[in-house]
Amino acid sequence: MPRSNRRLGLDKRGETAVRNWSGHVEFTSERFESPSSVTALQALVSGSTTIRALGTAHSFNALADTTGVHVSVADLPGSLEIDSAKGLAWVPAGMRYGEAARLLDAQGWAVHNMASLGHISVAGTIATGTHGSGDRNPTLSASVAGLEMVTAAGDLLTITHDDPSFAGCVVALGALGVTTRVLLRVEPTFGIRQYVIDDVDHESLLAGFDDVFSSAYSVSFFTCWTPELTGKIWMKRREGRDAPLTDAQLAGEPWLGGHLATAKRHPLPEHDAMHCTEQQGALLPWHEALPHFKLDFTPSSGDELQTEYLVPRERAPGLLRDLEALAPRIHPLLHVSEIRTMCADELWLSGAYGRDTVGIHFTWKKVPEVLGLLPEIDALLGPAGGRPHWGKLYESDPAALASRYPRFDDFAGLVATFDPTGKFRNQTLDLLLGSRNVHHDHR
Ligand SMILES: Cc1cc2nc3c(=O)[nH]c(=O)nc-3n(C[C@H](O)[C@H](O)[C@H](O)COP(=O)(O)OP(=O)(O)OC[C@H]3O[C@@H](n4cnc5c(N)ncnc54)[C@H](O)[C@@H]3O)c2cc1C
C-alpha cells in the first residue's frame, strides 16, 4: 500500500483526500495524486492549473486545501543522506518527522528539537513554522539549510541558505512549490531526561517566568485555566548541558513554585499517560523525549482543535495575565493550554521572525463554541504582535495579520515570481496576499 494512503483520510477509492487529521476540515480538491517519481511529480505540477501540496493533513485550518489537485510527496523514493563533515542531512520531505529522527539517531545524529507529535511530515512541519520549546531553540523551520522543490513550471530547483530569498522559502505555506527534499542542520545525538513539576500556580509562573523557562533545555507550562489557575511544568533536561537534579528537588521539596511529580503524567489532567514519552528522569535518546507523545502511538484522527499565538517574549507574562480575564470562558472549552518559548529566527513568515518568542497554545474540545472565542483571543493577542500559528485555528483580519510580518511584502513578491499563474494559491493565500494587492484569478 502506498505510504500516503496509510496516512491520509482518503476516500474509498483512494482518489481524494477527504478531511484533515482532526476531521473538521472537509477538503475540496477534485483529486488526490501521490506520484512515485520526481519526474512524474514534475509532469503533474507543470500540467496542472491548480495544485497544492498536502503533507499529513495535521493542520487545523484550510491552509492545505485546494479546489484542484492535492499532491503528496510521501511516495517519492528517497532516503536520508548525511554529510557528516558539514553536519547536514537531506531528508525526504514526505517522511514523518519522527521517522526521520529515528533514522538520524540510528546513525549518531540529531536535530535540535521536535514538536509535541512526531507524526507530522517534514515538509508540512517546516512550511508552517512548527516548533518545540526552549529559550535557545529556534523553530524547526530554522534548522533548514536547503530545499529541493518542484516549481510551478515543473523544474526541480535546489535553493540553499546562501540565496538571498532563502529566508522566504522555508515557512512558505505551500505557496512557492512542492518540496521534495529538505536539508537539515544536524548535530551529534544527545540524551534527554524528562521531569514534570506539579501544582505550579500562575502567579509563581508569571513572577519567575525567565527562571522557569531557562531551567532546562526545553520547558513547557501546561494549564487548564481552571479557577485555581494552577498548572504543570514539563521539563526536558539535556544530558551534559543541564545540571542533574539536586537531592532536595528529587525529594519533592518546593521547586519553581511546585514539586516534582511522583508518577508519569499526561498533559491533560485525568488522562492515562501510557502514550506519553517516558518521564521521571529516565535517560532517553533525544527523539524519544523531546516529543510529548510516543511515535508508535498513531492517532489516525483527532478529537481536538488547536489555536496558538506566537507573541513577543517580553509581552508574554502581561498577556498571560490579561488572558486570565477570559479564563472562565476558556476553561469549559479547553482540553489544555501549553506555553512554550523559542528564540528569534530570520525566516520571513516564521512566528518567531526577528524576536524571541513565546507560544501561547490552546488544545480545544472539538465543539463549535470555540469559534466564538477566537475573535476575542485575536483581539487580545493580535495587537500585541501575536502571530497565529499558520497550521492552527485563528480568526484574524488578513491585512492585520500580514502587517505583523515585517518581510511580508517580500514574501508576496516571491510568490508572484515563483508562481506567476497562481497554481499553488488557495482561498487562504488569496485572502492573505490579496490584502497586499497580490491578486490572481486562477480558477
Ligand atoms: C496533534 C498535533 C500536534 C501538533 N503539535 C505541534 C507542535 O508541537 N508545534 C507546532 O508548532 N505545531 C504543532 N502542530 C501543528 C502542525 O505541526 C502543523 O499544522 C503542520 O503544518 C502539519 O504538517 P502536515 O504535514 O500535516 O502539513 P499539512 O497540514 O498537510 O499542510 C500544511 C502546509 O504545509 C504545506 N505542505 C505540506 N507538504 C508540502 C510539500 N511537500 N511542499 C510544500 N508545501 C507543503 C501545505 O501546502 C500547507 O500549506 C500539531 C498538530 C497536531 C495535529
Side-chain angles (χ1 to χ4, degrees), residues 21 52-60 63-64 73 93 115-117 120-121 123-125 127-131 173-174 177-179 304 306 308 340 389 391-392:
W21 173 83
R52 201 151 164 76
L54 184 64
T56 43
H58 277 77
S59 293
F60 289 89
L63 177 65
V73 294
S116 61
L117 191 79
I120 295 160
S121 81
T125 295
T128 58
T130 289
H131 61 91
L173 317 179
V178 180
T179 308
E304 65 187 55
Q306 294 187 8
E308 185 175 32
R340 288 180 279 187
H389 190 303
K392 301 184 183 178

Side-chain angles (χ1 to χ4, degrees), residues 8 20-22 27 41 52-65 70-74 76 93-95 114-133 139-140 148-150 170 172-182 291-293 299 302 304 306 308 310 338 340 342 361 363 389-392 424 426 429:
L8 293 166
N20 70 335
W21 173 83
S22 174
F27 291 132
L41 173 65
R52 201 151 164 76
L54 184 64
T56 43
H58 277 77
S59 293
F60 289 89
N61 54 36
L63 177 65
D65 199 15
H70 249 151
V71 62
S72 164
V73 294
L76 292 183
M95 194 176 262
M114 291 185 72
S116 61
L117 191 79
H119 303 81
I120 295 160
S121 81
V122 172
T125 295
I126 64 155
T128 58
T130 289
H131 61 91
S133 192
T139 63
L140 303 189
E148 188 183 84
M149 65 167 120
V150 172
V170 183
L173 317 179
L176 303 180
V178 180
T179 308
T180 50
R181 295 201 304 161
V182 178
H292 301 322
F293 299 100
E304 65 187 55
Q306 294 187 8
E308 185 175 32
L310 292 312
E338 182 178 9
R340 288 180 279 187
M342 65 216 83
H361 165 93
T363 300
H389 190 303
W390 292 115
K392 301 184 183 178
F424 298 127
N426 66 1
L429 291 175

Side-chain angles (χ1 to χ4, degrees), residues 302-353:
D303 195 18
E304 65 187 55
L305 303 171
Q306 294 187 8
T307 295
E308 185 175 32
Y309 276 71
L310 292 312
V311 305
R313 179 170 177 130
E314 70 279 6
R315 303 287 307 266
L319 291 169
L320 287 166
R321 209 177 285 283
D322 293 345
L323 271 172
E324 287 175 7
L326 285 181
R329 302 194 29 230
I330 292 173
H331 169 62
L333 303 176
L334 191 74
H335 284 306
V336 74
S337 259
E338 182 178 9
I339 316 302
R340 288 180 279 187
T341 60
M342 65 216 83
C343 64
D345 66 43
E346 294 303 319
L347 303 174
W348 299 350
L349 289 201
S350 165
Y353 174 83

Side-chain angles (χ1 to χ4, degrees), residues 127-307:
T128 58
T130 289
H131 61 91
S133 192
D135 280 4
R136 287 194 278 163
N137 293 327
T139 63
L140 303 189
S141 311
S143 64
V144 177
L147 291 169
E148 188 183 84
M149 65 167 120
V150 172
T151 63
D155 299 324
L156 189 63
L157 174 77
T158 302
I159 182 160
T160 51
H161 58 94
D162 41 7
D163 187 297
S165 56
F166 180 73
C169 294
V170 183
V171 184
L173 317 179
L176 303 180
V178 180
T179 308
T180 50
R181 295 201 304 161
V182 178
L183 185 64
L184 295 179
R185 291 190 187 87
V186 293
E187 56 187 284
T189 186
F190 56 90
I192 292 281
R193 294 182 195 270
Q194 192 168 202
Y195 297 92
V196 174
I197 301 179
D198 281 336
D199 301 327
V200 181
D201 61 62
H202 282 214
E203 258 331 298
S204 308
L205 173 81
L206 299 182
F209 196 84
D210 288 339
D211 291 339
V212 169
F213 283 99
S214 65
S215 64
Y217 183 71
S218 164
V219 177
S220 296
F221 180 74
F222 284 99
T223 175
C224 293
W225 299 97
T226 52
E228 305 78 42
L229 290 175
T230 57
K232 291 184 193 341
I233 295 171
W234 220 268
M235 189 184 271
K236 298 167 196 277
R237 301 183 76 80
R238 182 164 167 160
E239 195 69 355
R241 197 177 284 189
D242 293 319
L245 264 53
T246 63
D247 289 344
Q249 289 161 345
L250 286 167
E253 289 187 12
W255 184 26
L256 297 172
H259 52 87
L260 208 62
T262 50
K264 195 176 167 189
R265 300 285 189 239
H266 190 286
L268 277 60
E270 317 303 332
H271 277 60
D272 191 332
M274 185 170 68
H275 299 306
C276 294
T277 49
E278 295 312 319
Q279 302 154 22
Q280 296 178 283
L283 179 60
L284 296 171
W286 58 279
H287 63 105
E288 288 182 20
L290 288 173
H292 301 322
F293 299 100
K294 292 178 181 170
L295 184 64
D296 293 333
F297 162 61
T298 309
S300 58
S301 66
D303 195 18
E304 65 187 55
L305 303 171
Q306 294 187 8
T307 295

